[in-house]
Amino acid sequence: MLGDILSFVLRIGLVVALWAFVWKFVEPRTQLMRILRAALLVFGLLGIWAVLKIMGVN
């Protein structure tokens, strides 16, 4: 039970860390930069999901 909660909190923390990193370093001055930031977030989240699936984390 405690392990499941800890795993969930760590996964949420990983997603928040990725979001904060992309949000801070890719400033949307133009429409293209907004699209780039959105794409980076999507691909980053897909990457996190893939790594968690490969590692077997539910």
Side-chain angles (χ1 to χ4, degrees):
M1 176 75 178
L2 184 61
D4 291 337
I5 293 172
L6 183 60
S7 175
F8 178 74
V9 169
L10 288 174
R11 282 186 275 167
I12 294 295
L14 184 61
V15 169
V16 168
L18 171 74
W19 177 81
F21 179 78
V22 170
W23 205 262
K24 179 170 176 53
F25 289 110
V26 182
E27 295 180 5
R29 293 191 177 106
T30 64
Q31 186 69 24
L32 184 62
M33 289 298 286
R34 289 179 186 181
I35 294 169
L36 175 67
R37 181 167 71 179
L40 284 173
L41 285 171
V42 168
F43 286 125
L45 292 174
L46 285 173
I48 289 172
W49 177 73
V51 168
L52 291 174
K53 278 292 201 187
I54 290 169
M55 291 176 54
V57 178
N58 290 331

